[in-house]
Amino acid sequence: MAEPSSNKAFPVSWDQFHRDARALAWRLAEKGPFEAMVCITRGGLVPAAIICRELGLRMIETVCVASYHDYKNQSELKVLKDIAPNIKAIGDGKGKGVLVVDDLTDTGKTARVVREMLPNAHFATVYAKPAGVPTVDTFVTEVSQDTWIYFPWDMGLAYVEPIAKGHKG
């Protein structure tokens, strides 16, 4: 996993994230219909709002799996909030007809935990890294494993050194 100081930074603006989340909605429109959405908090909240609007979904649930306790290491995963029984009961009782949304699949650990809860759900993320790709069904943009994505809700405006200044070669 890349650290925030990685030279392979991928800053995402609000406009770009909105475009990418809508692009994901376009792809998902062909995969449905979905009866409900489960968003993985906290990263899945923003794309969930956009995708729910685009797909006309009103049944929205959250699952909270804590993994990033600092920006350098993924610690042990802990489910802080489980999925409601009425959502788990949809379709075949294993997630059929449920869309699970997150902002990113990095290592795939979080997705695997949620997939155990809803094995037949459709998993979608806006961004994916190679180690996480096998854990999702649909995504928009793949970045390298050593790239750090800076989401708009994690950033403020600040000066950034030019890429060439720190480049040795």
Side-chain angles (χ1 to χ4, degrees), residues 13-164:
S13 68
W14 283 108
D15 288 344
Q16 183 64 47
F17 191 83
H18 188 248
R19 280 191 296 273
D20 291 344
R22 287 194 77 221
L24 181 58
W26 273 104
R27 292 182 185 183
L28 293 169
E30 300 171 353
K31 311 282 185 185
F34 300 107
E35 294 181 50
M37 174 189 286
V38 172
C39 68
I40 300 173
T41 66
R42 293 175 307 213
L45 290 168
V46 176
I50 295 164
I51 293 164
C52 281
R53 180 205 182 262
E54 298 299 333
L55 299 183
L57 286 170
R58 297 208 179 257
M59 181 66 67
I60 305 161
E61 170 64 301
T62 59
V63 61
C64 182
V65 181
S67 61
Y68 283 89
H69 293 282
D70 62 47
Y71 285 104
K72 294 182 181 177
N73 303 298
Q74 255 193 337
S75 63
E76 290 297 315
L77 298 179
K78 182 176 181 182
V79 177
L80 301 179
K81 180 195 170 290
D82 202 345
I83 301 166
N86 65 315
I87 301 298
K88 286 183 176 181
I90 289 174
D92 60 0
K94 296 181 180 179
K96 185 172 174 57
V98 177
L99 173 62
V100 177
V101 173
D102 205 353
D103 56 352
L104 164 72
T105 181
D106 187 328
T107 63
K109 289 180 182 177
T110 301
R112 279 191 283 278
V113 168
V114 178
R115 176 93 57 196
E116 287 177 13
M117 298 175 197
L118 296 171
N120 295 337
H122 188 94
F123 280 67
T125 60
V126 181
Y127 304 107
K129 292 186 179 182
V133 167
T135 66
V136 296
D137 302 303
T138 306
F139 65 91
V140 174
T141 302
E142 184 172 351
V143 298
S144 65
Q145 199 67 40
D146 61 344
T147 295
W148 188 267
I149 300 175
Y150 290 92
F151 290 101
W153 49 87
D154 289 330
M155 295 188 298
L157 295 177
Y159 174 77
V160 176
E161 288 289 333
I163 293 170

